[in-house]
Amino acid sequence: EEGFDLALLLLAAGFYFILGHAVLKPEYGDFLGLFAAGLAALYLFLTLFVRSIHPEGSKVTWALLALAIAFLTIAVPLQFDGRPITLAWAAEAAVLVFAGFQVASKRLRVAGVILLILVALRLLIIEYEIDLQDFVPVANGRFLTYAFSIAAMFAIAWRYKVAWATVEKQERFLVPALALVANFFALYVLSAEAMAYFDGQILQRSRPVIVPGPLGTTIHADPDVAT
């Protein structure tokens, strides 16, 4: 019977979100992320309410919490585009893992690690792109996104290291794994920044400029020639 209740809870949440998405999108498409965030807040409130009644926890409590996490994760790409998604997911991953240790919940920690995997995939597939026009090393969106995500990875690895004696053996591999992945991305982004800087310098030198010519005419010249 509890399994049926859980299935009904999940189906109802999914149906309500799909229906609300369909109704709101034509006129309020820019606020769909806020709609999902509102559902996340609702299910978080229900989680705390059920937890107050059953402090020992139950499957319903974890189902409600899973829905809150899912809707919060969905809210970010619905409301934002590009790098804010990666930044928000990295922050959420760290919060989930730290909260998981605080309340001794392996499920929360697993949810955080899964979200961190999505962050790593975004760093590999999406975030590597950068505009070389007017490129400024370090002070650019790509570097800051990588730096924040790397910091989240190191923070999570550190938290697992602190709790090394209390976590299960299956989780202990995360300490070296996260440290390795974080170092890989650190080396990658530093190398990418250096290459982007030199590529930008080459682009600047090869860009034609307009130089005043005789009798009011203009000619195009290479910056080195013009000087």
Side-chain angles (χ1 to χ4, degrees):
E1 184 176 351
E2 188 178 45
F4 175 78
D5 292 338
L6 291 175
L8 188 62
L9 174 65
L10 297 174
L11 287 173
F15 178 77
Y16 182 80
F17 176 74
I18 293 172
L19 181 62
H21 185 281
V23 172
L24 294 173
K25 187 173 183 179
E27 297 293 333
Y28 304 100
D30 293 337
F31 300 98
L32 289 174
L34 296 178
F35 171 63
L39 289 176
L42 171 64
Y43 282 106
L44 180 59
F45 169 78
L46 292 175
T47 300
L48 297 175
F49 177 73
V50 173
R51 184 79 182 217
S52 67
I53 299 174
H54 302 285
E56 70 281 0
S58 66
K59 291 183 178 179
V60 173
T61 303
W62 293 114
L64 290 169
L65 183 59
L67 286 170
I69 294 171
F71 282 125
L72 182 60
T73 304
I74 292 171
V76 177
L78 283 177
Q79 194 65 37
F80 302 103
D81 294 319
R83 292 192 170 113
I85 298 175
T86 307
L87 293 170
W89 282 358
E92 186 182 350
V95 169
L96 287 174
V97 172
F98 274 71
F101 280 110
Q102 189 68 26
V103 300
S105 169
K106 183 179 178 180
R107 291 183 179 93
L108 278 181
R109 299 197 297 269
V110 170
V113 172
I114 291 173
L115 200 54
L116 198 62
I117 293 173
L118 295 179
V119 170
L121 290 175
R122 286 188 61 86
L123 293 179
L124 285 172
I125 300 171
I126 298 174
E127 301 296 353
Y128 68 89
E129 295 182 351
I130 194 166
D131 186 5
L132 293 178
Q133 299 288 343
D134 302 320
F135 172 77
V136 179
V138 179
N140 60 78
R142 179 182 69 176
F143 182 83
L144 296 177
T145 300
Y146 273 86
F148 186 85
S149 301
I150 291 167
M153 293 176 188
F154 275 124
I156 292 173
W158 170 82
R159 189 63 185 86
Y160 269 102
K161 181 63 177 178
V162 170
W164 180 269
T166 61
V167 297
E168 299 178 7
K169 292 182 179 180
Q170 296 89 332
E171 291 184 88
R172 291 180 180 178
F173 83 95
L174 289 170
V175 176
L178 287 172
L180 180 64
V181 172
N183 275 288
F184 164 77
F185 280 119
L187 290 173
Y188 166 77
V189 73
L190 290 173
S191 301
E193 287 291 295
M195 289 187 292
Y197 172 76
F198 289 113
D199 288 344
Q201 292 297 308
I202 294 172
L203 181 65
Q204 290 290 336
R205 290 194 177 94
S206 62
R207 183 187 302 169
V209 296
I210 298 177
V211 181
L215 303 178
T217 61
T218 58
I219 58 173
H220 292 274
D222 184 87
D224 294 333
V225 176
T227 55

